[in-house]
Amino acid sequence: MASRSLGLASKLTSFSKNNFISSSDLNSDQIFSLFELAKQLKIGDRRIDLGNRVLGLIFKKASTRTRVSFQVAMARLGGQTVDLNPQITQLGRGEPIKDTARVLSRYCDALAIRTFSQKELEEYAYWSTIPVINALTDLEHPCQALADYLTIQEKFGTLKGINLSYIGDGNNVAHSLMICGAMLGVNVKVCSPTGFEPDSQIVNKAKSLSEFGSKISICNDPSKAVKEAQVIYTDVWASMGQEEEHLNRKEIFEKYKVDQKLIRIANEDVVILHCLPAHRGEEITEEALESQNSHVFDQAENRLHVQQALLAVQLGGL
Ligand code: CP
Ligand code: NVA
C-alpha cells in the first residue's frame, strides 16, 4: 500500500497547483493515476486531509452534480467551499475578472468556475495565483469526462480499444469526451446532425493527442454509428444558454434519440451513459435511461470521487 501510494504520488505531484481548464491539461499517465487515487478514495482505502483548504465556486449557470460533488469532495478532504455566485458578489456589478481573480487568490486555495466562454475561464486562470478548475464552459466539461472514463474503466476493466459512440449535439461534453478519450485509447465516434458537429479545432486537437491507437471520428448516421458501440453516450440537444433554440433543435435532432431501437443495433451489453440532467423523451427515452444498460447514476457518483482526487492533487495533498 505504501509503495503503491508513493508510485501514484510521484506521477501526480507534477500536477500540483496546476489549472484544469481543458481535458488536455492532464496527460494520459496522470489521468490513469488519478483514476487509481479516485478508486482508493471511493472504496475507503485512502483518506486525505488537506486541512482547512477553501474552494471558491463561481457558477454563472445552474448545477446540481458539479456544485454538490465539489462541495462534498472538499468536506471529505477536511476543507470547505464558499459560494461566489456572481449575483451576490461584485462580479455581478461589473468588477473585472483581473481584480476579482487576484483578490480571491488571497482568500481561497482553488476556484471552480462554471461560465459561458472558455476565454473568460482562461482570463481567470491568467490572473489567479491558485489553481482554476473548469466546472463547465460552452467549449468543454473536463471534470465530466474524467468521471465518464472512470465509469467506463470500472465497467470494462480497461479503456484501451473501447468503442464509444456519442449521439447528439457536438457540444462541450462531446468535446471533452473526444480529447480525454483520445489520450486514454478510447475510439470516440461523435454522430451529430449536419451543422451540429463538434468544433473542428477540437476534433483536430483530439486527433493530435491520440494514444494507444485511439480513433476519433465524426459521422451523421446514428444507426451506423452505434453498430460496434460498447458505450452509447448522449447529452441534451440544447445546452444551457441555447434555450431559445430548443424547439428548432427538437425537430432537427429527432433521428438522434437514444431509444431501444438504436440500442438494439449495438452490442447487447452496451453501456448507456448520459452526463445528466436528461430530457426524457428527447435525446433519450425513459425506457433507455431506466434500462439495465444504463449506468448514469454510477457515472454521476464518480463525479465526486474523481473530483476529490483532482482536488487532493491540485491542493498538494499527496
Ligand atoms: N453533469 C453535470 O455537470 O450536471 P450539473 O449541471 O447538475 O452540474
Ligand atoms: N451540454 C450541457 C451539459 C450539462 C451538464 C450544457 O452545457 O448545458
Side-chain angles (χ1 to χ4, degrees):
M1 170 66 196
S3 63
R4 196 156 52 115
S5 302
L6 270 180
L8 268 188
S10 67
K11 284 186 179 155
L12 287 170
T13 42
S14 55
F15 196 69
S16 173
K17 313 260 186 310
N18 280 24
N19 295 317
F20 185 54
I21 59 176
S22 166
S23 287
S24 59
D25 287 337
L26 283 165
N27 63 36
S28 60
D29 219 17
Q30 290 168 330
I31 300 173
F32 283 122
S33 302
L34 197 74
F35 288 175
E36 277 307 304
L37 179 60
K39 282 186 235 169
Q40 290 173 7
L41 292 165
K42 182 173 180 173
I43 61 174
D45 211 14
R46 183 91 185 254
R47 282 187 73 83
I48 297 173
D49 192 338
L50 297 175
N52 290 326
R53 301 299 191 84
V54 176
L55 172 70
L57 300 175
I58 303 176
F59 276 52
K60 277 198 181 172
K61 296 176 177 175
S63 170
T64 299
R65 279 143 290 269
T66 309
R67 178 188 287 280
V68 179
S69 55
F70 271 124
Q71 287 170 326
V72 175
M74 280 308 282
R76 290 190 179 184
L77 292 166
Q80 54 188 297
T81 54
V82 281
D83 265 329
L84 303 165
N85 190 330
Q87 281 113 20
I88 54 161
T89 64
Q90 300 288 5
L91 271 170
R93 296 178 57 249
E95 184 166 11
I97 288 172
K98 64 179 180 180
D99 292 352
T100 306
R102 282 179 289 181
V103 171
L104 294 178
S105 296
R106 307 286 179 114
Y107 303 144
C108 298
D109 298 288
L111 293 174
I113 303 175
R114 172 169 285 199
T115 190
F116 294 86
S117 103
Q118 184 79 9
K119 283 242 163 324
E120 189 180 313
L121 187 72
E122 285 165 5
E123 198 181 342
Y124 274 106
Y126 179 83
W127 289 103
S128 297
T129 54
I130 54 175
V132 170
I133 302 169
N134 182 345
L136 179 147
T137 62
D138 291 345
L139 193 70
E140 274 203 58
H141 197 1
C143 294
Q144 180 68 53
L146 290 179
D148 300 338
Y149 287 118
L150 172 62
T151 310
I152 296 168
Q153 194 189 54
E154 285 175 345
K155 302 295 168 199
F156 293 92
T158 185
L159 285 167
K160 294 171 193 163
I162 294 289
N163 296 323
L164 181 149
S165 296
Y166 174 99
I167 310 294
D169 188 27
N171 62 15
N172 44 10
V173 168
H175 288 164
S176 286
L177 277 173
M178 282 192 295
I179 296 172
C180 193
M183 291 190 285
L184 301 178
V186 179
N187 301 316
V188 184
K189 204 173 264 181
V190 174
C191 179
S192 314
T194 306
F196 296 87
E197 294 95 344
D199 182 309
S200 57
Q201 279 183 4
I202 297 280
V203 178
N204 291 336
K205 180 175 173 176
K207 285 183 178 171
S208 76
L209 290 168
S210 159
E211 286 192 51
F212 314 109
S214 146
K215 291 190 197 69
I216 304 298
S217 55
I218 308 298
C219 63
N220 302 110
D221 182 342
S223 35
K224 277 193 192 145
V226 299
K227 258 195 186 124
E228 309 282 315
Q230 293 160 286
V231 180
I232 297 179
Y233 196 119
T234 190
D235 182 21
V236 291
W237 292 336
S239 286
M240 290 182 276
Q242 297 173 330
E243 287 78 5
E244 75 289 351
E245 295 177 40
H246 183 215
L247 279 182
N248 189 30
R249 282 175 177 245
K250 260 173 81 167
E251 278 180 35
I252 297 170
F253 281 79
E254 189 52 37
K255 252 180 53 193
Y256 295 78
K257 191 189 290 293
V258 173
D259 56 13
Q260 293 306 107
K261 202 170 128 221
L262 196 69
I263 293 171
R264 274 196 289 272
I265 300 173
N267 202 301
E268 198 187 336
D269 299 324
V270 68
V271 166
I272 308 293
L273 297 180
H274 190 309
C275 59
L276 303 179
H279 287 180
R280 286 168 162 83
E282 291 186 21
E283 76 276 0
I284 189 162
T285 58
E286 169 83 14
E287 207 185 355
L289 194 70
E290 298 292 349
S291 73
Q292 298 257 330
N293 299 78
S294 167
H295 295 275
V296 297
F297 298 106
D298 293 338
Q299 181 188 4
E301 179 188 330
N302 279 336
R303 295 293 306 276
L304 168 62
H305 307 302
V306 86
Q307 285 162 210
Q308 190 179 339
L310 180 72
L311 287 165
V313 174
Q314 285 179 302
L315 296 175
L318 292 191

